[in-house]
Amino acid sequence: MLKQAKWLAVLAALAIAVAGCGAAGEGNNDQGNGAEQPVQETPAEQPSEEPAETPAEEPAEEPAEEPAKELGVQTGETIEIESEIEGMKEKVKVVQYTLTPYNIQYVLRDLLSAPKVENGQVVHTAKMGDYTAVVKLEVKEGLTFEQAVEEARKAYADGYEASEPADIGTELNGYVGMVQGYQKDEQFHGFHVFQIGDDALVVHHTYPYDAGDGMGAMMRDMLQSLKVEK
């Protein structure tokens, strides 16, 4: 009887244990069967759009430099003018010339040769005894008056005896100018510079002492005749 009672007690304990395990299992199942909340996905970061590259500006083309003008000379008519030589007025023949493309006109006695263009200068010559008289004209494009004077002086830097420079008023031919004379080897040398528009006209001369009066009158007539034909 006692054994039977112990046996029943054991069975009862086992039943309680089994029941407890079942309840625990149901609790676990309830947790497992609970509706799972979907995990909210963080939207993937969109790659930032890089700003479009601004095309580099191409450097502006520099304006092409205008080619340097080529000095030339046109020979016109032979005419007669009145010239003063050694205090006496007389009729002389002169030839009309035009410096191209500048349209600068002048006259020169027909005693001097037809012009030639040499090294950017229009050159007239005449044989006078043992010497040669020379008249040369050139246009200094874009140079200021002062720059043209300084450049002209460089031609007389070697052994020339210089006189004082002198300003030329507009009463001679309408243009502001300057003259400077030199002496060397029994000859007169020198230059005249005139401001004509944006350019400078330079006139060089060389002639022997003995021809001073006649050549002086020739140069005066030529310089007085300078003008620009519009």
Side-chain angles (χ1 to χ4, degrees), residues 21 29 44-45 47 64 69 82 102 141 148-149 165 174 180 194 209 220 226:
C21 289
N29 288 338
E45 293 185 1
K69 296 176 183 177
E82 188 177 74
Y102 305 96
E141 190 174 341
V149 168
Q180 186 162 15
F194 296 96
Y209 292 159
R220 184 180 62 251
L226 285 171

Side-chain angles (χ1 to χ4, degrees), residues 12-103:
L14 288 173
I16 292 170
V18 171
C21 289
E26 289 178 3
N28 290 336
N29 288 338
D30 288 342
Q31 290 182 359
N33 292 332
E36 294 183 3
Q37 296 295 326
V39 177
Q40 187 173 0
E41 295 183 0
T42 303
E45 293 185 1
Q46 298 294 329
S48 58
E49 294 184 3
E50 297 192 4
E53 293 185 1
T54 304
E57 294 184 3
E58 295 184 2
E61 293 185 4
E62 295 184 0
E65 293 185 3
E66 293 185 5
K69 296 176 183 177
E70 185 174 350
L71 181 66
V73 60
Q74 292 180 347
T75 301
E77 298 180 353
T78 299
I79 61 174
E80 194 173 69
I81 66 171
E82 188 177 74
S83 180
E84 185 174 338
I85 303 173
E86 297 183 1
M88 300 291 292
K89 291 185 177 181
E90 60 180 272
K91 298 287 186 178
V92 296
K93 290 183 178 181
V94 297
V95 183
Q96 297 174 317
Y97 297 103
T98 302
L99 298 179
T100 61
Y102 305 96
N103 292 327

